[in-house]
Short mmCIF file of all heavy atoms in Angstrom, two decimals:
data_model
loop_
_atom_site.label_atom_id
_atom_site.label_comp_id
_atom_site.label_asym_id
_atom_site.label_seq_id
_atom_site.Cartn_x
_atom_site.Cartn_y
_atom_site.Cartn_z
N MET A 816 111.09 102.42 94.90
CA MET A 816 109.86 101.82 94.38
C MET A 816 108.65 102.66 94.83
O MET A 816 108.57 103.08 95.96
CB MET A 816 109.75 100.40 94.88
CG MET A 816 108.52 99.68 94.39
SD MET A 816 108.54 97.98 94.96
CE MET A 816 107.25 97.31 93.99
N GLN A 817 107.71 102.86 93.91
CA GLN A 817 106.55 103.65 94.22
C GLN A 817 105.50 102.76 94.89
O GLN A 817 105.35 101.62 94.54
CB GLN A 817 105.95 104.23 92.97
CG GLN A 817 106.90 105.13 92.23
CD GLN A 817 106.29 105.62 90.90
OE1 GLN A 817 105.35 105.04 90.39
NE2 GLN A 817 106.88 106.65 90.35
N ASP A 818 104.84 103.33 95.87
CA ASP A 818 103.73 102.64 96.51
C ASP A 818 102.42 103.09 95.87
O ASP A 818 102.11 104.26 95.85
CB ASP A 818 103.66 102.94 98.01
CG ASP A 818 104.80 102.25 98.77
OD1 ASP A 818 105.18 101.15 98.32
OD2 ASP A 818 105.29 102.84 99.72
N VAL A 819 101.71 102.14 95.32
CA VAL A 819 100.42 102.41 94.69
C VAL A 819 99.43 101.38 95.25
O VAL A 819 99.75 100.21 95.41
CB VAL A 819 100.49 102.25 93.16
CG1 VAL A 819 99.10 102.43 92.55
CG2 VAL A 819 101.49 103.23 92.61
N SER A 820 98.24 101.85 95.54
CA SER A 820 97.18 100.92 95.95
C SER A 820 95.96 101.20 95.11
O SER A 820 95.72 102.34 94.66
CB SER A 820 96.85 101.06 97.44
OG SER A 820 96.28 102.32 97.67
N ILE A 821 95.21 100.16 94.86
CA ILE A 821 93.92 100.26 94.16
C ILE A 821 92.89 99.58 95.02
O ILE A 821 92.98 98.36 95.27
CB ILE A 821 93.99 99.60 92.73
CG1 ILE A 821 95.10 100.21 91.90
CG2 ILE A 821 92.64 99.69 92.06
CD1 ILE A 821 95.34 99.52 90.61
N LYS A 822 91.96 100.36 95.50
CA LYS A 822 90.96 99.83 96.37
C LYS A 822 89.62 99.67 95.60
O LYS A 822 89.18 100.60 94.89
CB LYS A 822 90.70 100.74 97.55
CG LYS A 822 89.67 100.24 98.50
CD LYS A 822 89.50 101.09 99.73
CE LYS A 822 88.49 100.43 100.68
NZ LYS A 822 88.25 101.27 101.84
N VAL A 823 89.03 98.50 95.71
CA VAL A 823 87.74 98.24 95.09
C VAL A 823 86.67 98.75 96.07
O VAL A 823 86.56 98.29 97.19
CB VAL A 823 87.53 96.74 94.84
CG1 VAL A 823 86.17 96.48 94.21
CG2 VAL A 823 88.62 96.16 93.97
N ARG A 824 85.91 99.76 95.61
CA ARG A 824 84.89 100.31 96.48
C ARG A 824 83.58 99.57 96.25
O ARG A 824 83.21 99.31 95.11
CB ARG A 824 84.69 101.79 96.20
CG ARG A 824 86.03 102.52 96.43
CD ARG A 824 85.89 103.97 96.47
NE ARG A 824 85.23 104.35 97.74
CZ ARG A 824 84.88 105.57 98.03
NH1 ARG A 824 85.12 106.55 97.22
NH2 ARG A 824 84.29 105.82 99.17
N GLU A 825 82.93 99.19 97.32
CA GLU A 825 81.69 98.43 97.21
C GLU A 825 80.67 99.22 96.40
O GLU A 825 80.40 100.39 96.71
CB GLU A 825 81.13 98.10 98.61
CG GLU A 825 79.98 97.18 98.57
CD GLU A 825 79.73 96.55 99.91
OE1 GLU A 825 80.71 96.04 100.55
OE2 GLU A 825 78.57 96.53 100.34
N ASN A 826 80.13 98.56 95.38
CA ASN A 826 79.13 99.18 94.49
C ASN A 826 79.63 100.48 93.89
O ASN A 826 78.81 101.38 93.65
CB ASN A 826 77.82 99.43 95.24
CG ASN A 826 77.24 98.14 95.79
OD1 ASN A 826 77.37 97.10 95.23
ND2 ASN A 826 76.64 98.23 96.97
N GLY A 827 80.91 100.57 93.66
CA GLY A 827 81.47 101.80 93.10
C GLY A 827 82.76 101.59 92.36
O GLY A 827 83.07 100.48 91.91
N PRO A 828 83.51 102.69 92.22
CA PRO A 828 84.73 102.66 91.37
C PRO A 828 85.95 102.01 92.00
O PRO A 828 85.92 101.58 93.19
CB PRO A 828 84.95 104.14 91.14
CG PRO A 828 84.50 104.77 92.41
CD PRO A 828 83.31 103.99 92.86
N TYR A 829 87.03 102.03 91.25
CA TYR A 829 88.33 101.64 91.76
C TYR A 829 89.01 102.98 92.27
O TYR A 829 89.09 103.93 91.48
CB TYR A 829 89.23 101.04 90.69
CG TYR A 829 88.75 99.74 90.15
CD1 TYR A 829 88.29 99.63 88.84
CD2 TYR A 829 88.81 98.61 90.92
CE1 TYR A 829 87.85 98.41 88.35
CE2 TYR A 829 88.40 97.39 90.44
CZ TYR A 829 87.91 97.30 89.15
OH TYR A 829 87.47 96.09 88.63
N LEU A 830 89.42 102.99 93.48
CA LEU A 830 90.12 104.13 94.04
C LEU A 830 91.60 103.92 93.93
O LEU A 830 92.13 102.97 94.54
CB LEU A 830 89.71 104.35 95.50
CG LEU A 830 90.45 105.42 96.26
CD1 LEU A 830 90.26 106.79 95.62
CD2 LEU A 830 89.96 105.45 97.70
N VAL A 831 92.31 104.74 93.13
CA VAL A 831 93.75 104.59 92.94
C VAL A 831 94.45 105.62 93.78
O VAL A 831 94.15 106.82 93.71
CB VAL A 831 94.09 104.80 91.43
CG1 VAL A 831 95.59 104.64 91.19
CG2 VAL A 831 93.30 103.85 90.57
N ASN A 832 95.40 105.16 94.58
CA ASN A 832 96.19 106.05 95.43
C ASN A 832 97.67 105.81 95.08
O ASN A 832 98.15 104.68 95.17
CB ASN A 832 96.00 105.76 96.92
CG ASN A 832 94.64 106.23 97.38
OD1 ASN A 832 94.30 107.38 97.28
ND2 ASN A 832 93.81 105.28 97.81
N GLY A 833 98.35 106.87 94.71
CA GLY A 833 99.76 106.75 94.38
C GLY A 833 100.08 107.44 93.09
O GLY A 833 99.21 107.88 92.37
N THR A 834 101.34 107.47 92.81
CA THR A 834 101.79 108.14 91.57
C THR A 834 101.84 107.08 90.46
O THR A 834 102.59 106.13 90.52
CB THR A 834 103.19 108.74 91.75
OG1 THR A 834 103.14 109.67 92.83
CG2 THR A 834 103.64 109.45 90.49
N VAL A 835 100.94 107.26 89.49
CA VAL A 835 100.88 106.30 88.38
C VAL A 835 100.80 107.07 87.07
O VAL A 835 100.43 108.25 87.07
CB VAL A 835 99.67 105.35 88.49
CG1 VAL A 835 99.74 104.52 89.76
CG2 VAL A 835 98.38 106.08 88.37
N THR A 836 101.04 106.38 85.96
CA THR A 836 100.78 106.92 84.64
C THR A 836 99.63 106.13 84.05
O THR A 836 99.69 104.90 83.94
CB THR A 836 102.03 106.79 83.75
OG1 THR A 836 103.12 107.45 84.39
CG2 THR A 836 101.79 107.40 82.40
N LEU A 837 98.59 106.84 83.70
CA LEU A 837 97.39 106.23 83.09
C LEU A 837 97.43 106.58 81.63
O LEU A 837 97.50 107.77 81.28
CB LEU A 837 96.13 106.76 83.77
CG LEU A 837 94.81 106.22 83.25
CD1 LEU A 837 94.71 104.70 83.49
CD2 LEU A 837 93.63 106.92 83.95
N ILE A 838 97.43 105.58 80.79
CA ILE A 838 97.63 105.80 79.34
C ILE A 838 96.38 105.33 78.56
O ILE A 838 95.85 104.27 78.82
CB ILE A 838 98.88 104.99 78.91
CG1 ILE A 838 100.12 105.48 79.68
CG2 ILE A 838 99.10 105.12 77.42
CD1 ILE A 838 101.33 104.64 79.49
N ASP A 839 95.99 106.13 77.58
CA ASP A 839 94.83 105.78 76.77
C ASP A 839 95.19 104.78 75.69
O ASP A 839 96.36 104.37 75.57
CB ASP A 839 94.14 107.03 76.21
CG ASP A 839 94.89 107.65 75.04
OD1 ASP A 839 95.87 107.08 74.54
OD2 ASP A 839 94.49 108.79 74.65
N ALA A 840 94.22 104.36 74.89
CA ALA A 840 94.42 103.32 73.88
C ALA A 840 95.39 103.72 72.80
O ALA A 840 95.94 102.85 72.09
CB ALA A 840 93.08 102.93 73.27
N ASP A 841 95.63 105.00 72.62
CA ASP A 841 96.57 105.50 71.63
C ASP A 841 97.97 105.71 72.20
O ASP A 841 98.86 106.19 71.49
CB ASP A 841 96.04 106.78 71.00
CG ASP A 841 94.81 106.58 70.15
OD1 ASP A 841 94.67 105.51 69.60
OD2 ASP A 841 94.00 107.50 70.11
N GLY A 842 98.12 105.45 73.49
CA GLY A 842 99.42 105.64 74.13
C GLY A 842 99.64 107.01 74.72
O GLY A 842 100.75 107.30 75.15
N ASN A 843 98.57 107.79 74.76
CA ASN A 843 98.69 109.15 75.33
C ASN A 843 98.36 109.13 76.82
O ASN A 843 97.38 108.53 77.22
CB ASN A 843 97.70 110.12 74.65
CG ASN A 843 97.97 110.19 73.19
OD1 ASN A 843 99.06 110.41 72.74
ND2 ASN A 843 96.90 109.90 72.38
N PRO A 844 99.19 109.80 77.64
CA PRO A 844 98.93 109.79 79.06
C PRO A 844 97.78 110.78 79.45
O PRO A 844 97.65 111.84 78.85
CB PRO A 844 100.27 110.30 79.66
CG PRO A 844 100.88 111.12 78.61
CD PRO A 844 100.41 110.51 77.28
N TYR A 845 96.99 110.34 80.38
CA TYR A 845 96.00 111.23 80.98
C TYR A 845 96.71 112.03 82.08
O TYR A 845 97.68 111.56 82.66
CB TYR A 845 94.91 110.44 81.71
CG TYR A 845 93.96 109.72 80.80
CD1 TYR A 845 94.20 108.41 80.42
CD2 TYR A 845 92.82 110.33 80.35
CE1 TYR A 845 93.30 107.69 79.63
CE2 TYR A 845 91.91 109.66 79.54
CZ TYR A 845 92.17 108.36 79.16
OH TYR A 845 91.29 107.71 78.38
N HIS A 846 96.22 113.24 82.34
CA HIS A 846 96.67 113.97 83.51
C HIS A 846 95.88 113.45 84.73
O HIS A 846 94.66 113.53 84.69
CB HIS A 846 96.41 115.46 83.38
CG HIS A 846 96.70 116.22 84.62
ND1 HIS A 846 97.97 116.49 85.05
CD2 HIS A 846 95.89 116.75 85.54
CE1 HIS A 846 97.92 117.11 86.16
NE2 HIS A 846 96.66 117.28 86.50
N VAL A 847 96.56 112.88 85.65
CA VAL A 847 95.90 112.37 86.84
C VAL A 847 96.60 112.88 88.11
O VAL A 847 97.80 113.16 88.12
CB VAL A 847 95.88 110.82 86.89
CG1 VAL A 847 95.01 110.24 85.78
CG2 VAL A 847 97.26 110.23 86.80
N GLU A 848 95.82 113.03 89.14
CA GLU A 848 96.33 113.39 90.46
C GLU A 848 96.81 112.12 91.17
O GLU A 848 96.69 111.04 90.63
CB GLU A 848 95.22 114.10 91.25
CG GLU A 848 94.59 115.30 90.58
CD GLU A 848 95.59 116.44 90.37
OE1 GLU A 848 96.54 116.59 91.19
OE2 GLU A 848 95.42 117.20 89.42
N GLN A 849 97.32 112.28 92.37
CA GLN A 849 97.79 111.10 93.08
C GLN A 849 96.64 110.21 93.53
O GLN A 849 96.86 109.02 93.78
CB GLN A 849 98.60 111.55 94.31
CG GLN A 849 100.05 111.75 93.97
CD GLN A 849 100.93 111.51 95.17
OE1 GLN A 849 100.62 112.00 96.26
NE2 GLN A 849 102.01 110.82 95.00
N ASN A 850 95.44 110.77 93.66
CA ASN A 850 94.29 109.99 94.06
C ASN A 850 93.19 110.23 93.03
O ASN A 850 92.83 111.39 92.79
CB ASN A 850 93.78 110.42 95.47
CG ASN A 850 94.87 110.25 96.48
OD1 ASN A 850 95.53 109.23 96.58
ND2 ASN A 850 95.10 111.30 97.25
N PHE A 851 92.67 109.18 92.45
CA PHE A 851 91.59 109.33 91.49
C PHE A 851 90.77 108.06 91.46
O PHE A 851 91.21 107.01 92.00
CB PHE A 851 92.08 109.73 90.10
CG PHE A 851 93.06 108.72 89.49
CD1 PHE A 851 92.59 107.73 88.66
CD2 PHE A 851 94.39 108.84 89.75
CE1 PHE A 851 93.47 106.85 88.05
CE2 PHE A 851 95.29 107.93 89.20
CZ PHE A 851 94.85 106.95 88.34
N VAL A 852 89.61 108.13 90.86
CA VAL A 852 88.73 106.95 90.80
C VAL A 852 88.42 106.58 89.38
O VAL A 852 88.17 107.42 88.54
CB VAL A 852 87.42 107.18 91.60
CG1 VAL A 852 87.65 107.12 93.09
CG2 VAL A 852 86.76 108.48 91.22
N LEU A 853 88.50 105.30 89.08
CA LEU A 853 88.26 104.73 87.76
C LEU A 853 86.89 104.09 87.75
O LEU A 853 86.56 103.28 88.64
CB LEU A 853 89.31 103.72 87.41
CG LEU A 853 90.72 104.29 87.16
CD1 LEU A 853 91.71 103.17 86.93
CD2 LEU A 853 90.72 105.21 85.96
N CYS A 854 86.09 104.36 86.71
CA CYS A 854 84.77 103.79 86.57
C CYS A 854 84.85 102.29 86.38
O CYS A 854 85.70 101.79 85.69
CB CYS A 854 84.07 104.41 85.37
SG CYS A 854 82.45 103.72 85.05
N ARG A 855 83.94 101.61 87.07
CA ARG A 855 83.85 100.16 86.89
C ARG A 855 82.46 99.75 86.51
O ARG A 855 82.19 98.60 86.14
CB ARG A 855 84.34 99.60 88.24
CG ARG A 855 83.91 98.30 88.68
CD ARG A 855 84.79 97.87 89.88
NE ARG A 855 84.14 98.08 91.12
CZ ARG A 855 83.72 97.13 91.90
NH1 ARG A 855 83.94 95.85 91.57
NH2 ARG A 855 83.11 97.36 93.01
N CYS A 856 81.50 100.73 86.52
CA CYS A 856 80.13 100.38 86.15
C CYS A 856 79.89 100.49 84.66
O CYS A 856 78.90 99.99 84.12
CB CYS A 856 79.13 101.24 86.92
SG CYS A 856 79.04 102.94 86.31
N GLY A 857 80.74 101.25 83.95
CA GLY A 857 80.60 101.40 82.52
C GLY A 857 79.68 102.56 82.11
O GLY A 857 79.45 102.77 80.94
N GLU A 858 79.13 103.31 83.07
CA GLU A 858 78.15 104.36 82.75
C GLU A 858 78.68 105.77 82.88
O GLU A 858 77.96 106.73 82.61
CB GLU A 858 76.92 104.18 83.66
CG GLU A 858 76.19 102.90 83.49
CD GLU A 858 75.54 102.74 82.11
OE1 GLU A 858 75.10 103.75 81.56
OE2 GLU A 858 75.53 101.62 81.58
N SER A 859 79.90 105.93 83.29
CA SER A 859 80.46 107.29 83.44
C SER A 859 80.50 108.02 82.12
O SER A 859 80.84 107.45 81.08
CB SER A 859 81.87 107.20 84.06
OG SER A 859 82.45 108.49 84.10
N LYS A 860 80.25 109.29 82.16
CA LYS A 860 80.36 110.15 80.99
C LYS A 860 81.79 110.71 80.88
O LYS A 860 82.09 111.44 79.92
CB LYS A 860 79.33 111.27 81.01
CG LYS A 860 77.93 110.74 80.89
CD LYS A 860 76.88 111.78 81.24
CE LYS A 860 75.50 111.23 81.32
NZ LYS A 860 75.35 110.23 82.35
N THR A 861 82.62 110.43 81.86
CA THR A 861 84.01 110.91 81.85
C THR A 861 84.98 109.77 81.92
O THR A 861 86.02 109.86 82.59
CB THR A 861 84.24 111.89 83.03
OG1 THR A 861 83.98 111.20 84.25
CG2 THR A 861 83.37 113.12 82.92
N LYS A 862 84.63 108.61 81.26
CA LYS A 862 85.52 107.46 81.29
C LYS A 862 86.94 107.85 80.85
O LYS A 862 87.07 108.69 79.99
CB LYS A 862 85.00 106.36 80.36
CG LYS A 862 83.72 105.77 80.80
CD LYS A 862 83.31 104.67 79.83
CE LYS A 862 81.93 104.21 80.06
NZ LYS A 862 80.99 104.69 79.08
N PRO A 863 87.92 107.27 81.47
CA PRO A 863 87.87 106.11 82.34
C PRO A 863 87.58 106.50 83.81
O PRO A 863 87.61 105.64 84.69
CB PRO A 863 89.24 105.48 82.18
CG PRO A 863 90.14 106.67 82.01
CD PRO A 863 89.33 107.63 81.16
N PHE A 864 87.28 107.80 84.03
CA PHE A 864 87.08 108.21 85.43
C PHE A 864 85.65 108.07 85.85
O PHE A 864 84.74 108.19 85.07
CB PHE A 864 87.55 109.66 85.59
CG PHE A 864 88.98 109.86 85.14
CD1 PHE A 864 89.22 110.43 83.92
CD2 PHE A 864 90.03 109.41 85.91
CE1 PHE A 864 90.53 110.61 83.46
CE2 PHE A 864 91.34 109.57 85.46
CZ PHE A 864 91.59 110.14 84.22
N CYS A 865 85.45 107.87 87.11
CA CYS A 865 84.13 107.81 87.73
C CYS A 865 83.55 109.22 87.81
O CYS A 865 84.24 110.14 88.22
CB CYS A 865 84.23 107.17 89.11
SG CYS A 865 82.74 107.24 90.06
N ASP A 866 82.28 109.34 87.43
CA ASP A 866 81.64 110.66 87.60
C ASP A 866 80.43 110.53 88.57
O ASP A 866 79.63 111.44 88.67
CB ASP A 866 81.12 111.17 86.26
CG ASP A 866 80.01 110.39 85.65
OD1 ASP A 866 79.61 109.32 86.18
OD2 ASP A 866 79.49 110.80 84.57
N GLY A 867 80.35 109.44 89.30
CA GLY A 867 79.28 109.25 90.25
C GLY A 867 78.02 108.64 89.71
O GLY A 867 77.08 108.38 90.45
N SER A 868 78.00 108.29 88.41
CA SER A 868 76.83 107.72 87.80
C SER A 868 76.43 106.38 88.44
O SER A 868 75.25 106.01 88.41
CB SER A 868 77.01 107.51 86.30
OG SER A 868 77.14 108.76 85.61
N HIS A 869 77.39 105.68 88.96
CA HIS A 869 77.10 104.37 89.59
C HIS A 869 76.05 104.48 90.68
O HIS A 869 75.33 103.54 90.94
CB HIS A 869 78.37 103.73 90.10
CG HIS A 869 79.04 104.49 91.20
ND1 HIS A 869 79.94 105.49 90.94
CD2 HIS A 869 78.86 104.44 92.57
CE1 HIS A 869 80.35 106.03 92.09
NE2 HIS A 869 79.67 105.42 93.05
N ARG A 870 75.98 105.65 91.31
CA ARG A 870 74.98 105.84 92.41
C ARG A 870 73.57 105.84 91.87
O ARG A 870 72.62 105.52 92.55
CB ARG A 870 75.27 107.14 93.13
CG ARG A 870 76.58 107.11 93.90
CD ARG A 870 76.71 108.35 94.76
NE ARG A 870 78.10 108.57 95.10
CZ ARG A 870 78.86 109.52 94.59
NH1 ARG A 870 78.39 110.35 93.71
NH2 ARG A 870 80.14 109.59 94.92
N GLU A 871 73.37 106.27 90.59
CA GLU A 871 72.04 106.38 90.03
C GLU A 871 71.66 105.17 89.21
O GLU A 871 70.47 104.95 88.99
CB GLU A 871 71.92 107.62 89.16
CG GLU A 871 71.64 108.90 89.96
CD GLU A 871 72.91 109.68 90.27
OE1 GLU A 871 73.63 109.95 89.34
OE2 GLU A 871 73.12 109.96 91.47
N ASN A 872 72.63 104.39 88.74
CA ASN A 872 72.24 103.33 87.81
C ASN A 872 72.11 101.95 88.47
O ASN A 872 71.93 100.96 87.77
CB ASN A 872 73.31 103.27 86.64
CG ASN A 872 74.67 102.85 87.12
OD1 ASN A 872 74.86 102.23 88.16
ND2 ASN A 872 75.70 103.20 86.33
N GLY A 873 72.19 101.93 89.76
CA GLY A 873 71.95 100.65 90.47
C GLY A 873 73.12 99.68 90.38
O GLY A 873 72.92 98.45 90.59
N PHE A 874 74.30 100.16 90.08
CA PHE A 874 75.44 99.26 89.95
C PHE A 874 75.70 98.55 91.28
O PHE A 874 75.73 99.18 92.32
CB PHE A 874 76.69 100.07 89.55
CG PHE A 874 77.93 99.25 89.46
CD1 PHE A 874 78.12 98.32 88.46
CD2 PHE A 874 78.97 99.46 90.35
CE1 PHE A 874 79.26 97.58 88.39
CE2 PHE A 874 80.17 98.76 90.28
CZ PHE A 874 80.28 97.79 89.28
N THR A 875 75.86 97.23 91.17
CA THR A 875 76.20 96.49 92.36
C THR A 875 77.37 95.57 92.07
O THR A 875 77.44 94.94 91.03
CB THR A 875 75.03 95.58 92.84
OG1 THR A 875 74.65 94.69 91.81
CG2 THR A 875 73.85 96.44 93.28
N ALA A 876 78.31 95.55 92.98
CA ALA A 876 79.48 94.68 92.89
C ALA A 876 80.10 94.65 94.24
O ALA A 876 80.50 95.69 94.77
CB ALA A 876 80.48 95.23 91.85
N THR A 877 80.14 93.51 94.81
CA THR A 877 80.64 93.40 96.21
C THR A 877 81.69 92.34 96.34
O THR A 877 81.75 91.63 97.30
CB THR A 877 79.47 93.04 97.14
OG1 THR A 877 78.86 91.84 96.68
CG2 THR A 877 78.45 94.15 97.18
N GLU A 878 82.53 92.25 95.30
CA GLU A 878 83.60 91.24 95.29
C GLU A 878 84.49 91.43 96.50
O GLU A 878 84.76 92.52 96.97
CB GLU A 878 84.47 91.32 94.05
CG GLU A 878 83.70 91.08 92.77
CD GLU A 878 83.15 92.36 92.16
OE1 GLU A 878 83.14 93.39 92.85
OE2 GLU A 878 82.71 92.31 91.02
N ARG A 879 85.02 90.29 97.00
CA ARG A 879 85.99 90.31 98.07
C ARG A 879 87.18 89.48 97.67
O ARG A 879 87.06 88.50 96.92
CB ARG A 879 85.37 89.66 99.34
CG ARG A 879 84.24 90.43 99.93
CD ARG A 879 84.71 91.75 100.52
NE ARG A 879 83.67 92.49 101.21
CZ ARG A 879 82.90 93.42 100.64
NH1 ARG A 879 83.04 93.68 99.37
NH2 ARG A 879 82.04 94.03 101.37
N ALA A 880 88.35 89.90 98.12
CA ALA A 880 89.59 89.14 97.85
C ALA A 880 89.55 87.92 98.80
O ALA A 880 89.61 88.06 100.01
CB ALA A 880 90.80 90.00 98.14
N VAL A 881 89.45 86.76 98.21
CA VAL A 881 89.37 85.53 99.01
C VAL A 881 90.60 84.65 98.84
O VAL A 881 90.65 83.61 99.48
CB VAL A 881 88.08 84.75 98.69
CG1 VAL A 881 86.86 85.55 99.07
CG2 VAL A 881 88.05 84.38 97.21
N GLY A 882 91.52 85.06 98.03
CA GLY A 882 92.70 84.27 97.83
C GLY A 882 93.70 85.07 97.03
O GLY A 882 93.52 86.22 96.81
N THR A 883 94.70 84.40 96.58
CA THR A 883 95.72 85.07 95.78
C THR A 883 95.67 84.50 94.36
O THR A 883 95.34 83.36 94.15
CB THR A 883 97.15 84.85 96.35
OG1 THR A 883 97.41 83.46 96.45
CG2 THR A 883 97.23 85.53 97.71
N LEU A 884 96.02 85.35 93.40
CA LEU A 884 96.10 84.91 92.03
C LEU A 884 97.39 84.19 91.79
O LEU A 884 98.43 84.58 92.25
CB LEU A 884 96.01 86.11 91.08
CG LEU A 884 94.64 86.74 90.94
CD1 LEU A 884 94.70 87.95 90.04
CD2 LEU A 884 93.63 85.75 90.37
N GLN A 885 97.36 83.14 91.05
CA GLN A 885 98.54 82.44 90.64
C GLN A 885 98.78 82.67 89.17
O GLN A 885 97.87 82.65 88.37
CB GLN A 885 98.37 80.92 90.88
CG GLN A 885 98.00 80.54 92.29
CD GLN A 885 99.17 80.75 93.23
OE1 GLN A 885 100.33 80.51 92.83
NE2 GLN A 885 98.92 81.16 94.44
N GLU A 886 100.00 82.96 88.82
CA GLU A 886 100.31 83.16 87.40
C GLU A 886 100.97 81.93 86.85
O GLU A 886 101.57 81.18 87.51
CB GLU A 886 101.20 84.37 87.25
CG GLU A 886 100.42 85.66 87.46
CD GLU A 886 101.18 86.88 87.00
OE1 GLU A 886 101.95 86.78 86.05
OE2 GLU A 886 101.02 87.90 87.60
S1 FES B 801 81.85 103.47 88.85
FE1 FES B 801 81.29 105.52 89.19
S2 FES B 801 80.45 106.14 87.32
FE2 FES B 801 81.01 104.10 86.97
#
C-alpha cells in the first residue's frame, strides 16, 4: 500500500506527499513529482498547481481538523 499524505497549509495550498496519479477532467494524467502543491485559492495561473499567487491575493483559510468524517 502506498503512503500518501495531503497537508493543508495555512493560507496556502494543499501539499501532497507520496506517489499519486493526478488526472485532468479528460482523464489524462499530469506529470507530477512525489511532492507537489495544489492550488486552493483559485488564482494560480498553473492550475491545478500552486504558483504562489495566494501570497499576493490575500487568500486566507485556517481550517483545522476537529473531528472525523462519517460516511
Ligand atoms: S493556493 Fe497557491 S496559488 Fe492558489
Side-chain angles (χ1 to χ4, degrees):
M816 180 177 192
Q817 299 174 344
D818 288 326
V819 176
S820 66
I821 302 173
K822 181 177 183 183
V823 179
R824 302 193 72 184
E825 188 162 313
N826 301 325
Y829 295 112
L830 174 60
V831 181
N832 288 300
T834 303
V835 300
T836 302
L837 180 63
I838 301 171
D839 74 10
D841 293 329
N843 301 307
Y845 288 93
H846 171 75
V847 293
E848 304 296 331
Q849 273 207 314
N850 303 310
F851 58 95
V852 285
L853 292 173
C854 177
R855 153 168 101 112
C856 75
E858 298 294 326
S859 174
K860 293 167 189 64
T861 60
K862 293 182 191 104
F864 304 103
C865 171
D866 69 355
S868 293
H869 62 272
R870 292 188 201 106
E871 278 96 52
N872 66 22
F874 177 68
T875 59
T877 57
E878 299 91 347
R879 294 292 185 267
V881 295
T883 57
L884 286 177
Q885 302 290 324
E886 289 192 32

